[in-house]
Amino acid sequence: MESIITIIIYIHAFFGSIGLIAGIASVSTKKGSYLHRKAGKLFTFGMVTSSTISLTIAIMPNHKNIILLLIGIFTLYLVLSGNRALTFKNKTKVAFVDYFISGSMLLCCIIMISLGIFSVLKNYQSGTILLIFGILGLYLSIKDFILYRNILDVNKNWLMKHAGKMTGALISSITAFLVAGIGISNLIVWIMPSVLGGIYIVYWANKITNKRKLASDT
């Protein structure tokens, strides 16, 4: 059984590596270009496959890991939500699948925060990590539902939502590489990619906003 699990872990790492390389290529190329779109599709395929496999690994005997399970769900949410944002440009109604993705994340984050509080009280280092990701995911999923209430906001903010969620998914893959791939596991490694990625997201949000203002002025 253990040998089978080892093979599954290697497969998980393989697709995760594909996603990581494709994700870096995607953010490094011109947005909307052929290479950007192709790299984005490969990133989505790699991350969805790798994250789905990680959910299986996290519930296997002698490999049960609640953090791996929840972070895998978090990554899936970011990738799927980021891709769904591409359909929002001319959408007249928010689909059930969008509510399902955001609702699943909302429920997951409530569990993450609850486990995080429990772990902090028990002085487990994992508690801080669970709280950070849980609060961040809760914020993002609640923001989704607020956005869904007005279809005009959905149409207007599709690009910002896409860029933010896909960048967040890339941050998750980089964090997973550092923690699981290289074996560096401390609070700084868990947080630093999110800080740097957050700066990048703010940069692109400002760029998109400025382009929108220029378009409205002309």
Side-chain angles (χ1 to χ4, degrees), residues 19-217:
L20 177 59
I21 295 170
I24 294 173
S26 180
V27 299
S28 302
T29 53
K30 183 180 179 180
K31 305 301 176 284
S33 67
Y34 175 81
L35 287 176
H36 175 77
R37 295 196 303 271
K38 288 298 182 182
K41 288 180 180 179
L42 188 57
F43 171 69
T44 297
F45 172 74
M47 291 310 299
V48 169
T49 304
S50 178
S51 297
T52 302
I53 294 174
S54 75
L55 302 184
T56 304
I57 297 171
I59 60 175
M60 285 184 169
N62 301 320
H63 291 271
K64 291 181 180 180
N65 189 324
I66 188 64
I67 293 181
L68 180 63
L69 180 68
L70 294 173
I71 297 303
I73 295 173
F74 187 84
T75 304
L76 279 173
Y77 157 75
L78 291 171
V79 175
L80 296 176
S81 181
N83 274 275
R84 288 294 304 172
L86 293 173
T87 68
F88 289 173
K89 188 175 182 179
N90 300 307
K91 188 175 283 190
T92 58
K93 183 179 179 181
V94 179
F96 169 77
V97 66
D98 298 310
Y99 284 109
F100 179 79
I101 292 171
S102 299
S104 299
M105 189 62 210
L106 181 65
L107 177 60
C108 177
C109 287
I110 291 173
I111 297 173
M112 289 177 75
I113 293 171
S114 301
L115 289 173
I117 293 173
F118 173 79
S119 299
V120 167
L121 292 176
K122 291 291 185 178
N123 293 320
Y124 298 150
Q125 181 182 341
S126 60
T128 304
I129 297 169
L130 286 169
L131 281 175
I132 291 173
F133 280 89
I135 293 171
L136 176 60
L138 186 67
Y139 167 76
L140 292 174
S141 54
I142 290 176
K143 192 174 179 181
D144 286 345
F145 282 106
I146 293 173
L147 185 65
Y148 295 158
R149 293 177 63 183
N150 190 334
I151 192 65
L152 293 178
D153 286 341
V154 174
N155 297 150
K156 185 173 65 175
N157 293 299
W158 70 272
L159 182 56
M160 195 175 298
K161 181 179 174 66
H162 170 71
K165 294 293 178 63
M166 297 304 280
T167 301
L170 178 59
I171 293 168
S172 294
S173 67
I174 292 173
T175 304
F177 171 74
L178 293 174
V179 174
I182 299 180
I184 306 173
S185 183
N186 57 59
L187 195 57
I188 294 176
V189 172
W190 277 97
I191 296 176
M192 189 54 65
S194 297
V195 172
L196 296 176
I199 295 172
Y200 179 81
I201 291 172
V202 170
Y203 162 76
W204 267 104
N206 289 333
K207 192 170 184 177
I208 293 170
T209 302
N210 291 335
K211 281 186 177 180
R212 190 180 295 160
K213 286 181 180 179
L214 287 173
S216 61
D217 291 340

